[in-house]
Structure formats: C-alpha cells, structure tokens
Amino acid sequence: MSAPSGTGPGRVLVAVYGIFALAATSRAAVQIATRFAEAPLAYALSAFAGVVYIVLTVALARNARRVAVAACLVELAGVLVVGTLSLADSAAFPEATVWSGYGSGYGFVPLALPVIGLLWLLRGVRRS
C-alpha cells in the first residue's frame, strides 16, 4: 500500500491545487458577475476548471485516490481540448480561460499539473 496522497511531497501538490482552486474560482466568479456576456464560454470554462481544482484539492487532502485520479483525467482532457480549441478557434475564446493555450497564461502549470498529479497518485500501484 502506498502512502496517503496528501503527505510528504503530496502536500505540495495539495497546496498548488489549493492555490489554483482559489485563483480559478475567484477569477471566474468576478468575470461571471461583471462581464459574463463578453465571453460566456470562456468564463464558464474557467468556473468549471475552478471546480475541478477544488475537487482535486479535497480528494488529495483526504486520500480519495479514485476521485483524485478521475479529476486529474478530467483536468488533463480539459487542458488538452480547451487548449487545442482556443488555438484553433480564437474567436470562440475572446477571453482566456485557465486552460486556454494549454495554460500558457499560467506558465503551462495547468498542463503539467495533471501529469504530475497522476504520476504521484499512481506511483507504487501494483500491476497484475
């Protein structure tokens, strides 16, 4: 059995996800409350990203590995799909989301974070 996901170096992962949860959710809340009509898709996607980050923070802190792995996979899919669409059809994204351009506005951390999270969560898993 591997160590709890929110201990040791996993605490750093919990902290980073917590920061992203706060940042993405706060940013989306302000954007939705003040300018939703300008870019509803982008702002809704930022809110969704914030919810994913909240779920990941709580799941990692509580050692809910299955939930955390599922949320990491949703996050990775979101970063890849939204990142690709935001580059392919920039008119659909007049305002950036957390995941636009594969997280370029956040130093590509949103692209690296789910990969690191999955590696951390799946370390030491026995294979049959």
Side-chain angles (χ1 to χ4, degrees), residues 41-42 45 78-105 108:
L41 177 61
L45 285 170
V79 172
L80 294 175
V81 170
V82 172
T84 301
L85 291 175
S86 67
L87 295 175
D89 185 11
S90 59
F93 296 90
E95 292 288 330
T97 72
V98 176
W99 295 339
S100 293
Y102 306 108
S104 61
F108 296 100

Side-chain angles (χ1 to χ4, degrees), residues 2-3 5 13 17 52-78 113-125:
S2 55
S5 59
L13 200 56
Y17 270 116
V52 171
Y53 291 136
I54 291 168
V55 169
L56 269 160
T57 302
V58 172
L60 287 167
R62 293 189 176 193
N63 200 37
R65 287 182 180 271
R66 287 184 181 170
V67 173
V69 167
C72 275
L73 291 171
V74 168
E75 178 191 10
L76 182 59
L113 206 51
V115 174
I116 294 167
L118 287 168
L119 290 172
W120 175 252
L121 289 163
L122 299 176
R123 75 195 187 291
V125 173

